[in-house]
Amino acid sequence: MDLKTVDAGLLQSRYRLTKQRAAVLRALGDGGHLSAETILEKVRTELPAVSLGTIYRTLDILRAIGLVQIFSFGGSAARYEAALDKHHHLLCTNCRTLENVQADGVAEIAAQIAATKGFSDVDYGLTIVGRCTKCAGKAGQNGAN
Amino acid sequence: MDLKTVDAGLLQSRYRLTKQRAAVLRALGDGGHLSAETILEKVRTELPAVSLGTIYRTLDILRAIGLVQIFSFGGSAARYEAALDKHHHLLCTNCRTLENVQADGVAEIAAQIAATKGFSDVDYGLTIVGRCTKCAGKAGQNGAN
DNA sequence: CTCTCTGCAAAGCATTTGCACATTG
DNA sequence: CAATGTGCAAATGCTTTGCAGAGAG
């Protein structure tokens, strides 16, 4: 993630650019899908006193500005990622690994449905779940929303 | 939902057919997207002593058998519905109303991506979020996973 | 200087679980 | 009967919040 964009995003907003916020964005810069807890650990390597509350508050702000995207799936902790390109998610229900994928055509389908129903300010997300190659044996879970 | 299917589903499984489980399925029969709490209220009209723990345990079993589908989105309580046809979800981020929609072409897209990545036992779900006609003014949320 | 942010600790909710008793097959 | 399910209540895990002091602009 481009730090100029990051700082600009915060500065242009009504929010202040603090070292905690910059650190959270830096933690997400590597492109992973991180839980709040994991982000806390990463941020604490530079700022040992940060609290989990601040992480959550920061992530919420960054989401509001559009710099961060949340992925939450059934029960366990939500995962956060830098909002770069539009993409979809491929989740292994066994090892819970999450991967980004591109999917042509979904945008049109979603836009068309939304238009039919009179929705505005539309966003959409396709989540594909299953067993990844490494987890190909084992008991199965159901449902992808 | 067809009760013959329901009972058969439970009987064919290794699970017992208790009055609580039948009642939960009946509560979902009307086709709504219900929270565990709402299901509890409905079930208590016939079985006043049922506990929330039992509702959750039952829903989990019914999901495992494939009779029930979960929809969970960012933070708030999950919603459960009878698993009838394959469909997708249209969610108003303001009033949180949830509607089922059909979407041609998504199955193929998802199957193709899953195949490329070597996934097995695949399921997928498209969630479209936005502001419904009734909520067309107001501040906006972000992200659809 | 003023207003916003942070750390801390406590609270909040949704969901899960241990245990003794009730029920099913 | 033996195995499984249930109610109750306590526990858990993730996330949010109130407050007093610290920091940004």
Side-chain angles (χ1 to χ4, degrees):
Chain A
M1 163 169 269
D2 182 351
L3 278 209
K4 266 181 293 183
T5 310
V6 166
D7 291 7
L10 274 171
L11 288 173
Q12 282 161 23
S13 69
R14 62 188 182 83
Y15 301 105
R16 290 184 176 165
L17 177 54
T18 63
K19 42 182 178 304
Q20 289 86 342
R21 290 176 184 171
V24 168
L25 278 163
R26 233 171 286 124
L28 289 167
D30 302 349
H33 300 92
L34 281 43
S35 69
E37 197 74 44
T38 307
I39 295 170
L40 178 68
E41 286 168 26
K42 280 197 148 200
V43 170
R44 277 193 169 160
T45 61
E46 353 178 357
L47 301 169
V50 196
S51 70
L52 197 49
T54 295
I55 301 293
Y56 279 112
R57 277 184 287 225
T58 300
L59 288 168
D60 201 46
I61 288 172
L62 296 175
R63 178 173 54 75
I65 306 176
L67 291 177
V68 161
Q69 212 180 320
I70 306 186
F71 176 84
S72 54
F73 189 86
S76 44
R79 298 199 245 164
Y80 302 80
E81 62 182 316
L84 303 167
D85 52 344
K86 179 66 189 172
H87 61 261
H88 299 282
H89 288 124
L90 186 62
L91 172 72
C92 176
T93 44
N94 187 238
C95 63
R96 303 233 126 204
T97 300
L98 191 55
E99 190 181 343
N100 289 353
V101 294
Q102 299 301 139
D104 291 341
V106 180
E108 290 72 19
I109 294 172
Q112 211 256 307
I113 293 171
T116 305
K117 300 289 183 178
F119 266 54
S120 51
D121 243 305
V122 174
D123 194 9
Y124 60 92
L126 175 64
T127 300
I128 305 173
V129 302
R131 209 90 20 80
C132 72
T133 39
K134 288 179 190 167
C135 298
K138 286 216 129 183
Q141 237 159 295
N142 251 48
N145 282 3
Chain B
M1 163 169 268
D2 183 349
L3 279 208
K4 268 182 293 184
T5 311
V6 166
D7 292 6
L10 274 171
L11 289 173
Q12 283 161 22
S13 70
R14 62 186 183 85
Y15 302 105
R16 291 179 177 170
L17 176 54
T18 64
K19 41 183 180 303
Q20 290 87 342
R21 289 174 187 173
V24 167
L25 279 163
R26 233 172 288 125
L28 289 167
D30 303 350
H33 300 93
L34 280 44
S35 68
E37 196 75 44
T38 308
I39 295 170
L40 178 69
E41 287 168 24
K42 281 197 149 200
V43 169
R44 277 193 169 161
T45 61
E46 354 178 356
L47 301 169
V50 197
S51 71
L52 197 49
T54 294
I55 301 293
Y56 278 111
R57 277 185 286 224
T58 300
L59 288 168
D60 201 46
I61 287 172
L62 296 175
R63 179 174 53 76
I65 305 177
L67 292 176
V68 161
Q69 211 180 320
I70 306 186
F71 176 85
S72 55
F73 188 86
S76 44
R79 297 201 245 163
Y80 302 80
E81 63 182 316
L84 303 167
D85 53 344
K86 180 66 190 172
H87 61 261
H88 300 281
H89 289 122
L90 186 62
L91 172 73
C92 175
T93 43
N94 187 240
C95 62
R96 303 232 125 205
T97 300
L98 190 55
E99 190 181 343
N100 290 352
V101 294
Q102 299 301 140
D104 291 341
V106 180
E108 290 72 19
I109 295 172
Q112 211 257 307
I113 293 171
T116 304
K117 299 291 181 176
F119 267 54
S120 51
D121 243 303
V122 174
D123 194 8
Y124 60 93
L126 175 65
T127 300
I128 306 173
V129 303
R131 208 94 14 83
C132 72
T133 40
K134 287 178 186 167
C135 299
K138 288 214 122 183
Q141 240 159 292
N142 251 46
N145 282 359

